[in-house]
């Protein structure tokens, strides 16, 4: 990723904060007997994986897991959401505002960025993703399409950060129904992903 180190470190910390929020939601969900099904956990896991993956891509020092490992993770995640979309599985997102289609696009964008990064066969299996990479295999048109999608997504969700609807009496912990917090996380993730695609 191109850009000054202070921007990269700021994005890294913010993406890690979103990932930590996702993990917190998953931990809290362990104590919820009803009302928080596997599809809800899948949404939290997907947001967490994407946030951590973006943090690694932003970080000047990189992070654990080789490129091939990240590609496998996002391939499986994208396939799961394609299947859920195909079967018209109602995810009924609690807190989150993204549906299956959004996670399919997000997964494909992550796969695109990981594939566009320059790496030879040896680098693909190195157990540490380098923090310095360019985009030798990038297709600018595809990158701009993904970036445009994420900027529109952030624009649509922006008002929900300011005036999120009250969650109602769901009987779930506040961490799982904090619509304003999850909207803010999604807006940041969309803007951060769009920035990385453009950069």
């Amino acid at each position: 990723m191109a850009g000054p180190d202070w921007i990269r470190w700021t994005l890294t910390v913010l993406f890690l904060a979103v990932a930590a929020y996702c993990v917190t939601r998953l931990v809290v969900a362990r104590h919820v007997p009803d009302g928080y099904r596997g599809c809800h956990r899948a949404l939290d896991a997907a947001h967490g994986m994407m946030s951590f993956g973006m943090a690694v891509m932003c970080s000047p020092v990189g992070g654990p897991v080789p490129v091939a490992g990240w590609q496998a993770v996002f391939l499986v995640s994208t396939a799961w959401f394609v299947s859920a979309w195909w079967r018209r599985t109602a995810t009924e997102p609690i807190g989150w505002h993204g549906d299956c289609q959004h996670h399919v696009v997000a997964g494909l964008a992550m796969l695109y960025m990981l594939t566009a990064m320059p790496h030879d066969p040896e680098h693909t299996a190195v157990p540490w993703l380098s923090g310095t990479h360019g985009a030798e295999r990038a297709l600018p048109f595809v990158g701009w399409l993904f970036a445009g999608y994420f900027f529109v997504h952030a624009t649509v969700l922006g008002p929900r950060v300011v005036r999120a609807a009250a969650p109602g009496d769901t009987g779930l912990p506040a961490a799982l129904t904090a619509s304003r917090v999850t909207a803010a996380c999604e807006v940041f993730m969309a803007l951060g992903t769009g920035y990385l695609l453009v950069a």
Side-chain angles (χ1 to χ4, degrees):
M1 172 194 164
D5 277 357
W6 71 268
I7 290 180
R8 298 180 67 183
W9 279 118
T10 301
L11 289 174
T12 300
V13 170
L14 291 173
F15 274 120
L16 287 175
V18 174
Y21 173 65
C22 297
V23 171
T24 301
R25 285 174 57 93
L26 287 167
V27 170
V28 169
R30 290 180 57 234
H31 307 291
V32 178
D34 299 312
Y36 197 82
R37 304 193 313 272
C39 57
H40 303 134
R41 288 175 173 82
L43 289 172
D44 282 323
H47 280 287
M49 286 186 308
M50 184 166 178
S51 298
F52 188 64
M54 294 300 291
V56 170
M57 280 196 245
C58 290
S59 170
V61 297
V65 184
V67 172
W70 282 111
Q71 288 171 324
V73 165
F74 287 109
L75 185 61
V76 170
S77 171
T78 304
W80 190 94
F81 283 106
V82 166
S83 173
W85 183 13
W86 181 263
R87 290 182 285 113
R88 292 180 172 83
T89 302
T91 52
E92 302 169 15
I94 295 174
W96 297 114
H97 305 281
D99 52 14
C100 290
Q101 297 93 314
H102 170 72
H103 286 283
V104 169
V105 174
L108 291 174
M110 291 298 286
L111 286 167
Y112 165 77
M113 284 191 281
L114 288 163
T115 305
M117 291 189 310
H119 46 264
D120 50 33
E122 293 79 21
H123 180 76
T124 304
V126 169
W128 189 269
L129 179 60
S130 170
T132 56
H133 46 260
E136 293 175 357
R137 301 175 186 170
L139 301 171
F141 178 72
V142 174
W144 280 107
L145 278 178
F146 279 129
Y149 169 82
F150 285 111
F151 288 135
V152 168
H153 185 67
T155 302
V156 170
L157 286 179
R160 298 187 189 189
V161 177
V162 180
R163 53 178 191 277
D169 186 17
T170 60
L172 296 172
L176 300 179
T177 57
S179 192
R180 181 170 291 169
V181 175
T182 52
C185 289
E186 285 185 273
V187 167
F188 166 70
M189 287 173 65
L191 291 174
T193 305
Y195 171 77
L196 257 67
L197 283 159
V198 171

